[in-house]
Amino acid sequence: MKRFPALSSRNLVRVALVLLGLSLYQLATDGEVNWHRQALDKLAGERNTGLGQAVESLETAGAAREGQAPEHFDLTGRVVRIADGDTLSLLDASNTQHKIRFFGIDAPESDQPHGNRSREALAALVSGKRLGVVVIEEDDYGRKVGTVYADGRNVNLALVEQGHAWWYQYFARQEHALEAAEREARSARRGLWAGSDPTPPWDWRRQQRLRDAR
């Protein structure tokens, strides 16, 4: 793989000045700065290039973060089991079962207050519907971690919007749509936020581990 030499501090300053000049020129002539969008559009049109594919990947990830359903999924199928408010089992067309952990959210545990309500809320969103999953990674338990869509709706986001799950910021700090959804659900005191001081699931699990260790 060809490697390019790192830019020196002086050259970085020169590049920054050129970009600043270009931005100021466009602002003065067009009333807006859009050279960066034009460059990305050009790259996105060249899908057979490495840069074009990178831009396409970024666009897909961005769409997933904003709750828009992508054109293609890594997994599709129907739900056959709901373990709790953020974990389900999906059966694909080849009758292979996949355990799915929802990315970027954390729902109350089954033995935790609001745990059953969270599971019921997930069931209401996905039962009887064909699901699509954008897989982010596979965790240590062999589960596919991803964003789940039902009829084009981002289920991860919906659960947080309805107040049935937390934004799992430790693992998804960049998911600003989830952050905003939690903030709004808190303000409206929806779901678990109707309680005075709900315990986050990660704290609940830690308390359970400490109790079991005694």
Side-chain angles (χ1 to χ4, degrees):
M1 178 179 178
K2 185 176 180 180
R3 296 184 180 276
F4 296 92
L7 290 174
S8 66
S9 297
R10 180 176 298 178
N11 286 335
L12 284 172
V13 171
R14 288 174 179 168
V15 170
L17 289 174
V18 169
L19 295 179
L20 176 61
L22 177 58
S23 298
L24 291 174
Y25 175 78
Q26 275 205 332
L27 185 62
T29 56
D30 301 337
E32 65 172 342
V33 178
N34 60 12
W35 62 264
H36 58 295
R37 290 200 300 271
Q38 294 169 357
L40 285 176
D41 288 344
K42 184 176 186 301
L43 288 173
E46 300 173 359
R47 299 301 186 186
N48 60 330
T49 68
L51 286 175
Q53 291 170 3
V55 170
E56 184 176 27
S57 177
L58 287 172
E59 288 174 345
T60 301
R65 283 199 296 273
E66 295 306 316
Q68 303 169 26
E71 294 182 6
H72 305 287
F73 295 104
D74 299 305
L75 289 172
T76 58
R78 60 184 179 85
V79 61
V80 292
R81 181 175 180 270
I82 297 175
D84 54 34
D86 57 33
T87 308
L88 57 77
S89 294
L90 177 145
L91 190 69
D92 67 17
S94 66
N95 284 326
T96 301
Q97 194 170 135
H98 307 269
K99 196 165 187 179
I100 310 297
R101 172 66 168 87
F102 285 56
F103 173 73
I105 73 171
D106 202 3
E109 297 295 325
S110 299
D111 57 348
Q112 185 178 352
H114 203 82
N116 288 334
R117 182 68 190 91
S118 178
R119 184 181 180 282
E120 291 168 359
L122 174 56
L125 287 166
V126 302
S127 293
K129 298 176 182 177
R130 186 162 184 80
L131 306 183
V133 185
V134 177
V135 177
I136 308 298
E137 61 181 351
E138 185 170 312
D139 67 14
D140 294 337
Y141 302 100
R143 302 176 299 186
K144 302 291 192 303
V145 181
T147 302
V148 178
Y149 293 85
D151 292 343
R153 186 180 189 182
N154 184 325
V155 181
N156 303 43
L157 187 61
L159 287 166
V160 178
E161 288 174 338
Q162 294 175 3
H164 299 304
W166 275 258
W167 164 46
Y168 207 171
Q169 57 180 299
Y170 182 81
F171 291 106
R173 194 170 299 278
Q174 79 282 7
E175 300 298 317
H176 301 302
L178 294 176
E179 178 184 13
E182 181 184 297
R183 184 168 55 247
E184 204 277 330
R186 280 176 180 258
S187 178
R189 300 185 68 82
R190 292 197 201 104
L192 60 89
W193 302 113
S196 58
D197 187 23
T199 302
W202 50 88
D203 287 341
W204 178 272
R205 290 190 292 267
R206 184 171 62 250
Q207 292 168 7
Q208 295 298 105
R209 286 194 297 269
L210 289 173
R211 188 174 306 152
D212 293 342
R214 290 173 184 169

